[in-house]
Amino acid sequence: IPAGAAQDAAGNANAAAPQFAITYDTTAPTVAITSTAPNPTNTSPIPITVTFSEPVTGFTLTDLQVANGTAGNFTAVSGSQYTADITPSADGQVTVDIPAGAAQDAAGNANAAAPQLAITYDTTALFIAHTSLQSAYTHGIHAFTVTFSEDANNPPGNTRSKDVTNPANYLLVEQGQNGAFDTVSCAGGAQADDVPITVNTVTYDSATLTATVNLNHGAPLPDGTYRLFLCGSTSITDLAGNPLNGGEDSLYDFTVQHPALPKTGFPPGIVTSLPRQPETKTYAATGLRLDIPALHLTLPIVGVPLTQTGWDVSWLGNAAGWLQGSAFPTRRGNTVLTAHVWSAENTPGPFLHLKDLHYGDHIEIRAWGRVYVYAVQDTTLLWGQAGGQTLLQHSSRDVLTLVTCEGYNPATGKYTFRRMVRAVLVAVW
């Protein structure tokens, strides 16, 4: 009330009145629950901070509603901020709630309920659920897959070095000349006589938890004995920071050994008596046919099974054999067909004149009412029983490879070479 607002009977004006002030407050205090712990985390206890929008009274430890854990070490930092530690009871989601009405501000307004804090507590070791690696290969590989037990695709930041997509987390070595692996762990790195193989890139599918590891610059691994280390001792962790295998590397040994070239010729000048064909080496009918117009040749195609010792084509007769392990005829990849150069009956075999094919000559496969036409690109001599890796060389195109023996040596009773003719698909009729 200002001075002079009123006068007494004598006309004296009033002096100014001392101000009367009162705060009118109907706004409920808000509250937030935060934590400095990563989510997920493998650390216990989990620190939390409770922050009100204004100072309150009446807030205590019992106002923290915790699922899958217990609260302790409650401290009032100020009238509007409190801290506590949450000790998880088990692996899984830990939640913290503060109900409405847990505390009041100076005007008596009760707080609104806090948004729930949820953190995943995970102390379970990461492990390998599955890998596509086999113990032995008859062809070179240039990639493989690894499926993890849980997500290990760590976010950008300091943990990225421990991510499944980091090529440094995979160590692949080939056994050296001493015939033993000198490399013992990722921590020690590739050692001495072992030959390190480059791991180029790693892609990851978070839906299937599967990493695809690309190696050797995309080229198939040559024949050899290999050991792969999936690095748990130095690197790969899940999102909570649990290392692979509790901190141990996963080791996988495998070999690459291309089978020897098939023996497709019998000694000329004699009749060779063949034993009965065993069931395990039975040739499967394919219903396909091989035509080579330049050689006036038409042959049925049968499937020759691949055994531990390679392909036994002794009973092919006048058929062409598809070497199982190569691409199925007319499919994308490298299809290998073989036939005899000289038969067991001491007669010329179907591929006797394979060496006479020239660049551009057509080779046809008749399948499912269609004709797949291949054009010869090159013809090559392979030495002795070696050359399996060359014969089965991977191709992203539809390639047809024909092979037979050549150069019989009477002194050794063996064929010295293998003739290999390679052609590519040029038309389908």
Side-chain angles (χ1 to χ4, degrees):
I1 298 174
Q7 300 86 33
D8 61 13
N12 297 305
N14 66 283
Q19 185 183 62
F20 174 76
I22 187 170
T23 300
Y24 180 65
D25 179 8
T26 60
T27 302
T30 59
V31 59
I33 314 169
T34 58
S35 177
T36 57
N39 188 17
T41 184
N42 61 359
T43 301
S44 177
I46 301 171
I48 67 166
T49 299
V50 177
T51 304
F52 289 89
S53 58
E54 58 183 308
V56 296
T57 57
F59 184 66
T60 66
L61 176 65
T62 59
D63 293 312
L64 294 174
Q65 299 180 348
V66 181
N68 190 31
T70 56
N73 196 25
F74 182 81
T75 302
V77 178
S78 66
S80 59
Q81 191 171 79
Y82 302 81
T83 60
D85 289 333
I86 307 299
T87 302
S89 302
D91 278 11
Q93 190 177 70
V94 177
T95 62
V96 183
D97 291 277
I98 298 174
Q104 303 81 38
D105 63 12
N109 298 302
N111 67 280
Q116 184 183 73
L117 173 69
I119 292 180
T120 298
Y121 181 62
D122 177 13
T123 60
T124 302
L126 177 70
F127 62 89
I128 305 301
H130 175 73
T131 174
S132 66
L133 282 173
Q134 304 171 22
S135 60
Y137 291 91
T138 56
H139 61 281
I141 63 169
H142 58 84
F144 60 88
T145 62
V146 180
T147 301
F148 293 87
S149 60
E150 57 181 303
D151 197 357
N153 188 27
N154 288 287
N158 293 335
T159 57
R160 199 63 176 177
S161 63
K162 301 180 182 297
D163 185 63
V164 292
T165 62
N166 184 356
N169 293 336
Y170 304 81
L171 176 61
L172 179 62
V173 295
E174 181 183 4
Q175 191 178 91
Q177 295 182 357
N178 64 7
F181 284 111
D182 302 300
T183 304
V184 295
S185 71
C186 289
Q191 295 293 311
D193 195 49
D194 294 345
V195 180
I197 306 298
T198 300
V199 176
N200 299 99
T201 59
V202 183
T203 58
Y204 183 73
D205 184 344
S206 58
T208 61
L209 309 180
T210 299
T212 300
V213 184
N214 303 290
L215 49 90
N216 202 34
H217 305 288
L221 291 175
D223 287 2
T225 301
Y226 297 88
R227 174 167 290 177
L228 170 71
F229 296 81
L230 299 180
C231 300
S233 62
T234 60
S235 35
I236 299 178
T237 68
D238 64 16
L239 304 190
N242 299 302
L244 180 66
N245 304 322
E248 297 291 332
D249 298 329
S250 287
L251 273 64
Y252 298 90
D253 290 347
F254 63 94
T255 60
V256 176
Q257 181 62 57
H258 288 77
L261 297 178
K263 298 178 180 179
T264 56
F266 294 94
I270 62 173
V271 174
T272 302
S273 177
L274 294 176
R276 184 173 179 175
Q277 186 175 13
E279 185 176 347
T280 56
K281 295 182 179 180
T282 299
Y283 303 148
T286 67
L288 310 183
R289 193 178 81 198
L290 174 69
D291 288 346
I292 307 179
L295 302 183
H296 307 288
L297 192 63
T298 296
L299 304 175
I301 299 175
V302 297
V304 181
L306 175 61
T307 67
Q308 291 183 343
T309 56
W311 304 276
D312 193 338
V313 298
S314 301
W315 301 272
L316 273 182
N318 287 319
W322 161 58
L323 301 188
Q324 293 183 4
S326 67
F328 188 80
T330 73
R331 302 283 175 82
R332 185 180 296 275
N334 178 20
T335 298
V336 182
L337 301 181
T338 189
H340 289 146
V341 66
W342 200 261
S343 75
E345 292 80 16
N346 192 30
T347 59
F351 275 6
L352 176 65
H353 296 291
L354 191 65
K355 61 181 181 295
D356 296 332
L357 288 177
H358 299 92
Y359 179 86
D361 284 345
H362 282 185
I363 302 172
E364 300 172 355
I365 293 180
R366 296 182 180 271
W368 308 291
R370 309 187 77 178
V371 179
Y372 295 76
V373 182
Y374 299 79
V376 172
Q377 298 294 295
D378 60 72
T379 177
T380 308
L381 280 179
L382 302 177
W383 179 266
Q385 283 298 320
Q389 184 169 334
T390 302
L391 184 70
L392 294 174
Q393 183 178 1
H394 172 75
S395 176
S396 59
R397 299 185 297 170
D398 189 341
V399 171
L400 178 62
T401 301
L402 306 183
V403 63
T404 195
C405 294
E406 187 173 322
Y408 182 73
N409 185 344
T412 62
K414 297 179 180 179
Y415 286 85
T416 305
F417 306 103
R418 296 295 186 277
R419 170 67 60 177
M420 183 181 74
V421 175
R422 188 154 281 164
V424 297
L425 183 68
V426 293
V428 179
W429 299 339

